Each structure stands twice: as C-alpha cells, then as structure tokens.
Amino acid sequence: VYDLDASAVVPNLVGSAFPHFGQGSLYGVYSRQLDQETDILAIARVMGSMDYGADLADSFTFGLVGGMSTKVDDDLSIGLAVGIQTRLEEDLILYPVPLVDWRIDDKWRLHSGHIAENASGFEDLSGVRLSYLASDAQDCYLGLGWRIRQLRFDDDASDPLAGGAFLDQRLSLYGGTAWRVQHNLSTFLNLGYNLRQEFDLHDVNGPNPRDMQTDPAPFVNFGVVFSF
C-alpha cells in the first residue's frame, strides 16, 4: 500500500494519491539440457496491475529472460541471461542476469538470477540469494535484488491522475525465512532495507514524467503461498 502525500504528486490534490489496486501475473518457464554440461533457460511473464477502474488492455506489462548456463562440477553451474521488460508509458529495458547455482554443502546454497516474489507483488529482475536449509520444513535466506512494480490509474476523467501510470523501482537488501506447512502450503516473513528507491509518475494531464527519489528505508512483508 502506498501512502504518499497527494500534494507531493499532484499540486493542490488533497488526501492519498493512490487508491487500492489489484494485480495478477502469469509465468511460463522453459528449460532444456543440451548436453551433460549445458542448459538453456527461458522465462516469460505477463503481469497486470491497475486501479479497479483502469483500462485492462492498457495495464499489462511483459517480461522475458533467456540464457544459458554451464556445469562446472556437480555442485556449481554458471552462466549469463539477458532480460527484456516492458514498462507502462516508458521504453522497454534490456538488462543482464548473471546465472550462478552453487550448492556449497547440504545446507547452504548460493543462487543468482531472476527471482520471483509474486506474493509481495515484486520480482527480482536480477538478484542474488544465499539460502540455508534449517530443516526439512524451513528455509532461511539473505538476498539483494533489483525490483520493479507498475500501476495503471483509473480512467475516470474526474481523477487528477486519470489514465496515468506509476513505476516503482528499488534496490533491496533483505533477509527472511519460509516455512512449508504442507506440500502445497507455505508461509514467509521478510525483513529488509531499500537501499535505493525511485518513483516515476506519468500524468497525462501534467508534467510527464515526474520523478521522485526517496530516502533509504526499512520494510517488512509476509504472506501465504498456496500451490495447486
């Protein structure tokens, strides 16, 4: 939930600039082993995030990550992928994604790549995570990731931000734990610190875009994940 002072976003606007909004995403993952040492990977994502009165067709963004990794030994593989991400009212971005999967021992693992955080509405477009298997039912982890969230505003002409778009980009350091309650049900708790956070607001009725950069700040999130 965003609770920004509306007057900081749109002059003379009183109250909160951001309503409640809904979001949904669809992932597709393809991987294939070319030989005993080489794997290829492709990840595609479609996401919609909008105020409840926004135009659905104008609220979708698309992402694609594709790359290749090579097996160094039984416990380590390294590689490189390239990601493409569309943005509401802005040009698409092209970015590198280093791929590392290192099973340090039976408990510790270091992983870098495209890390999904669907329950919190964020994804690490490119990130690294060190995880520890505390038990068969619990994982603990520490990570660093570049994250993005986008929002399309209501089309209602009475809304000062009607038809506009909002982009939230941040570099986050976080730690957390996840519990597997049963095979298809888990919970997680994350504590972290946003090292850098930037908001871009595209207002069709005013200056375009407006850029806002916030001070570093802590955060906490938790959730429940059910798979079927």
Side-chain angles (χ1 to χ4, degrees), residues 122-138:
F122 282 93
E123 59 178 333
D124 288 355
L125 294 184
S126 186
V128 59
R129 178 181 290 182
L130 177 66
S131 59
Y132 174 73
L133 182 62
S135 70
D136 290 340
Q138 184 182 12

Side-chain angles (χ1 to χ4, degrees), residues 14-65:
V14 177
S16 175
F18 295 90
H20 294 290
F21 58 92
Q23 61 185 23
S25 62
L26 178 65
Y27 267 95
V29 179
Y30 173 79
S31 62
R32 180 178 179 184
Q33 186 174 14
L34 296 181
D35 53 44
Q36 291 185 345
E37 286 81 30
T38 306
D39 293 325
I40 58 173
L41 171 70
I43 303 172
R45 183 192 196 199
V46 179
M47 183 172 185
S49 183
M50 71 212 79
D51 184 3
Y52 292 115
D55 188 333
L56 180 64
D58 292 335
S59 304
F60 286 114
T61 56
F62 305 91
L64 179 66
V65 177

Side-chain angles (χ1 to χ4, degrees), residues 99-119:
L99 301 176
V100 176
D101 190 7
W102 181 20
R103 296 186 181 276
I104 302 170
D105 57 30
D106 291 341
K107 297 288 188 179
W108 291 93
R109 179 184 179 189
L110 181 67
H111 173 76
S112 73
H114 178 87
I115 302 172
E117 290 284 357
N118 289 328

